[in-house]
Structure formats: C-alpha cells, structure tokens
Amino acid sequence: QSVLTQPPSASGTPGQRVTISCSGSSSNIGNNAVNWYQQLPGTAPKLLIYSSNQRPSGVPDRFSGSKSGTSASLAISGLQSEDEADHYCAAWDDSLNGFVFGTGTKVTVL
Amino acid sequence: EVQLVESGGGLVQPGGSLRLSCAASGFTFDSYWMNWVRQAPGQGLEWVANIKQDGSEKYYVDSVKGRFTISRDNAKNSLYLQMNSLRAEDTAVYYCARSNWFDPWGRGTLVTVSS
C-alpha cells in the first residue's frame, strides 16, 4: 500500500543537484517524521536521512532532507556516479497504524 | 558491529507455511522495536510488520493480517515471522530492520510461493 508518491525517476550530470519529492497526507508525513533510504542495485536498503532532516554518521553531507506540510524532499548535491540507486521515503501512518513507503525514485547519473 | 542475518526463506506451495528468522548481534536487542519489510521482484519496498521491545505491541500491513505473526525471543536475540496461508503475491525478499528508523537492514531472505 504505497500511499507516499514519488517521481519514478530523476537524473543529473556529475556535480549537479537533484531533488526527489515524497507526497503524502496529514495521517503520515503531515504528522510524523520521514526517513529516506538508498538501495544500490542488488543490495539491501540503507538509511540516508531520519527524522526528516537528520543524517546518520557516515552519510555524506551531500544528502539532505526537508519536510513541509504533507510533503518531504531529499536533495543530493554534487551528484556522483555512486549515487545511482533507488531511493525511498517512509513514514508512520496514523490511520493505517503502520509504516508506509514511497513508490521509489531511480536516480540516474548522466 | 551491528548485524542482522535473515534465514528460513525458500520455495513453498500456495497455502503453505514458512517461518523466517532474523539473528541480531552487536547491539542490545531488547532495547529496540524490530520490523519485517519485503520487496517483490522488481518492485518497491513494503513494510510487513513490527514488534515492540517486549513483544507487547505488534502491527501488521492489512494484506498479511490473520496470516502472518511476528514474534521475538530476546534471550536469543532473534526476531521471527511465521507465515501461513501463503499466496503467490507473498513472493519477495524479506528483510528485517532495526527500530523505527529501519537501521540497519539485513541482507534479506527470498521467499518464493509457487506450485
């Protein structure tokens, strides 16, 4: 039940800035923190951003998160080839009483 | 090093059962909520279930309610997912993940439901 909507793809050249949106509702993003994950091909997802805008240790500061109302965004600045991956947002949904993930965005470095 | 290792996946016929395990190490297991998340082939991530530190609260995605049961054994630092009445649409890689931040994730175990 993907109730968080993301664009299917995003792309940029090396060094550019790419932004991925995550649109939800008042029962999820509007009332709860958002996390972001990166999934490299053939591997398990990895936490990139937690509590909407916090970076775990070890995640480069090229990655940043923000939230406004019922939407959230992940920005990747200084795009690098190793950033080619699928990216997902996630949040708790108070109506569903469960976590919901976004539809996922594939980032391509041109 | 914090580590999660899933096991128990395999091929099962529709209507069958399977029990997944997740062995945790490198952290105080009984201090964290734990989750199961699945990913069907070529598809996105879907949260399946989670369980509170002491097992007193459990939540499930609607599509598995009444069929799957999440449990944990804090003495064994292990998380489980009992899956009954399996359907073709349950075919996926199943990951366990620590806490409400889902950090870290295990490498996953593949469950294939097919006749």
Side-chain angles (χ1 to χ4, degrees), chain B residues 21-84:
Chain B
S21 299
C22 170
S25 60
F27 65 98
T28 306
F29 182 70
D30 61 9
S31 294
Y32 294 88
W33 282 79
M34 294 296 296
N35 299 268
W36 286 102
V37 178
R38 66 184 179 183
Q39 186 170 35
Q43 302 301 308
L45 301 171
E46 181 183 40
W47 173 81
V48 174
N50 67 355
I51 185 169
K52 194 176 179 179
Q53 289 91 329
D54 61 359
S56 61
E57 291 183 40
K58 305 174 186 181
Y59 299 94
Y60 300 90
V61 68
D62 283 348
S63 59
V64 308
K65 284 179 182 175
R67 300 189 300 124
F68 290 10
T69 302
I70 188 172
S71 63
R72 63 192 297 163
D73 185 334
N74 289 340
K76 295 183 178 179
N77 289 340
S78 292
L79 175 72
Y80 305 102
L81 187 67
Q82 177 66 44
M83 304 186 297
N84 299 330

Side-chain angles (χ1 to χ4, degrees), chain B residues 11-29:
Chain B
L11 174 63
V12 61
Q13 291 189 339
S17 298
L18 214 53
R19 188 195 195 208
L20 305 183
S21 299
C22 170
S25 60
F27 65 98
T28 306
F29 182 70

Side-chain angles (χ1 to χ4, degrees), chain A residues 65-78:
Chain A
S66 63
K67 187 181 92 165
S68 178
T70 59
S71 292
S73 292
L74 173 71
I76 310 173
S77 59

